[in-house]
């Protein structure tokens, strides 16, 4: 019976991915307030830097990496899709737990999510076109449509719902909506593994190591550069580092499912892309925990010394 369920999973992969994304964005929107955006107008430099990191810096870093290191084409496309994604909702949670600048993290997630309507298809078209199978062209219209339907609309609906609820109720509701979205994330991983679409024996250790280093470089360069070069506060620098490295992998998985599917001529290619996306999603959870815990310990020490 279990085998039959896994055999049927490819037919529902896109539905599971889209449901997960809608719930995640709805939950993030419920705790995002208009004032989160307004407050940062008074101190715009960290916000501007965060946007430039995500729409210019990370894509350029990714382009240089895939040019210098010869990866299989499906792995290259996986990295490029990651680079094109806005920050994910979990980055806000990590920033909160590490006592970073939550308002900056939330506002940056919201702004880059809105910008993704234009930047994501543009980055993917410019960088990924040469690595796609010949029968596939980057469907810019489809990417824009999916970002609008599964990202912008539920995010806006979450903000509207949050305004109608008391803050405590909105935070409670957001927490449970995000938890349900994580359940669908688990279905994505288990379904992809059980149906044989993700095969860890397919690649050498080079790919997991490259994914780990890629995530580490993004976070360390942005966090340290923000703090020591741009002279931002440690709270701002931590928020920027985590926000830039914890991408919206849910959207990336949805776009991959729409482009390649898990059945048909491009299924094997799509499985390779999905492997990179899910691996990065897991790696980023561990990588982002390091600065969050470090900053939390520092904040507690400063609190005790007062």
């Amino acid at each position: 019976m279990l085998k039959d369920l896994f055999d049927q999973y490819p037919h529902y992969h896109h539905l599971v991915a889209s449901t997960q994304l809608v719930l995640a964005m709805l939950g993030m929107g419920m705790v995002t307030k208009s004032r989160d955006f307004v407050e940062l107008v008074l101190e715009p430099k960290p916000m501007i830097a965060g946007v430039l990191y995500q729409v210019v810096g990370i894509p350029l870093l990714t382009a240089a990496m895939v040019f210098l290191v010869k990866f299989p084409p499906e792995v290259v496309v996986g990295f490029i899709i990651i680079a094109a994604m806005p920050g994910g909702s979990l980055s806000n949670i990590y920033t909160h737990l590490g006592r970073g600048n939550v308002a900056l993290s939330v506002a940056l997630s919201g702004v880059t999510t809105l910008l993704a309507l234009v930047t994501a298809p543009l980055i993917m078209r410019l960088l990924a076109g040469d690595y796609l199978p010949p029968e596939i062209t980057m469907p810019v219209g489809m990417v824009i449509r999916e970002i609008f339907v599964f990202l912008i609309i539920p995010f806006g609906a979450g903000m509207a719902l949050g305004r109608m609820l008391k803050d405590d109720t909105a935070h409670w509701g957001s927490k449970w909506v995000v938890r349900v979205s994580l359940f669908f994330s688990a279905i994505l991983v288990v379904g992809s593994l059980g149906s044989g679409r993700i095969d860890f024996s397919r690649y050498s250790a080079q790919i997991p190591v490259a994914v780990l280093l890629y995530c580490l470089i993004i976070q360390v360069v942005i966090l340290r550069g923000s703090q020591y070069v741009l002279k931002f506060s440690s709270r701002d620098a931590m928020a920027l580092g985590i926000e830039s490295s914890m991408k919206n992998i849910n959207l990336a998985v949805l776009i991959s499912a729409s482009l390649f599917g898990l059945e048909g001529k491009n299924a094997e290619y799509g499985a390779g892309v999905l492997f990179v996306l899910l691996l990065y999603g897991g790696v980023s959870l561990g990588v982002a925990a390091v600065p969050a815990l470090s900053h939390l310990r520092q904040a507690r020490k400063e609190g005790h010394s007062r």
Side-chain angles (χ1 to χ4, degrees):
M1 181 180 176
L2 193 59
K3 183 179 182 302
D4 292 337
L5 287 175
F6 284 134
D7 288 342
Q8 292 298 315
Y9 172 76
H11 299 292
Y12 300 98
H13 178 71
H14 188 276
L15 175 62
V16 174
S18 57
T19 301
Q20 195 282 332
L21 180 59
V22 167
L23 290 171
M25 298 313 300
L26 181 67
M28 190 173 91
M30 288 175 68
V31 292
T32 302
K33 307 295 183 184
S34 299
R35 63 176 178 269
D36 293 328
F37 301 95
V38 175
E39 288 172 359
L40 292 167
V41 173
L42 301 176
E43 187 61 43
K45 289 182 181 178
M47 185 70 179
I48 294 170
V51 172
L52 291 176
Y53 289 151
Q54 295 210 40
V55 302
V56 179
I58 294 174
L60 287 177
L61 171 67
T62 307
M65 182 185 73
V66 300
F67 176 77
L68 294 172
V69 183
K70 301 305 178 185
F71 295 115
E74 68 274 17
V75 172
V76 172
V77 171
F79 278 121
I80 291 170
I81 291 176
I82 291 168
M85 294 300 101
S89 57
L90 285 176
S91 63
N92 310 143
I93 297 172
Y94 271 59
T95 301
H96 170 72
L97 293 175
R99 296 188 182 178
N101 189 336
V102 178
L104 174 61
S105 178
V106 170
L108 189 55
S109 294
V111 169
T112 54
T113 294
L114 294 172
L115 289 176
L117 199 62
V118 176
T119 59
L122 179 62
I123 291 168
M124 291 166 62
R125 183 172 187 176
L126 289 175
L127 300 182
D130 293 339
Y131 299 97
L132 292 171
E135 66 275 8
I136 291 182
T137 56
M138 182 57 65
V140 175
M142 182 274 292
V143 174
I144 291 174
R145 183 178 65 251
E146 298 224 325
I147 289 174
F148 184 75
V149 171
F150 298 113
L151 219 69
I152 305 299
I153 290 178
F155 182 73
M159 286 189 67
L161 182 60
R163 290 183 64 179
M164 293 187 291
L165 300 173
K166 294 182 179 179
D167 285 349
D168 290 344
T169 305
H171 279 82
W172 179 87
S174 172
K175 179 174 67 175
W176 279 101
V177 171
V178 170
R179 285 178 178 176
V180 175
S181 78
L182 292 175
F183 171 74
F184 278 92
S185 291
I187 294 176
L188 278 171
V189 175
V190 173
S192 299
L193 287 169
S195 61
R197 302 302 178 178
I198 297 180
D199 184 3
F200 283 95
S201 64
R202 180 174 180 171
Y203 300 106
S204 66
Q206 178 196 24
I207 304 305
V209 170
V211 170
L212 174 61
L213 290 176
Y214 176 67
C215 187
L216 274 171
I217 290 170
I218 288 173
Q219 182 173 275
V220 171
V221 168
I222 289 177
L223 195 157
R224 298 303 178 191
S226 297
Q227 187 169 2
Y228 297 113
V229 178
L230 299 179
K231 305 300 183 182
F232 294 156
S233 69
S234 61
R235 293 179 69 247
D236 288 350
M238 191 200 77
L240 292 172
I242 290 178
E243 181 69 25
S244 299
S245 59
M246 294 193 78
K247 296 289 194 170
N248 194 331
I249 297 301
N250 310 315
L251 175 61
V253 169
L254 180 62
I255 289 174
S256 174
S258 298
L259 278 173
F260 311 111
L262 286 182
E263 287 188 311
K265 187 176 181 180
N266 296 305
E268 287 299 312
Y269 190 98
V273 175
L274 185 62
F275 176 81
V276 175
L277 301 181
L278 293 180
L279 183 60
Y280 183 91
V283 165
S284 65
L285 294 176
V287 169
V290 176
L293 291 173
S294 176
H295 193 269
L296 177 60
R297 285 196 297 268
Q298 179 184 344
R300 284 176 173 173
K301 285 181 181 179
E302 291 174 356
H304 290 314
S305 65
R306 291 174 183 173

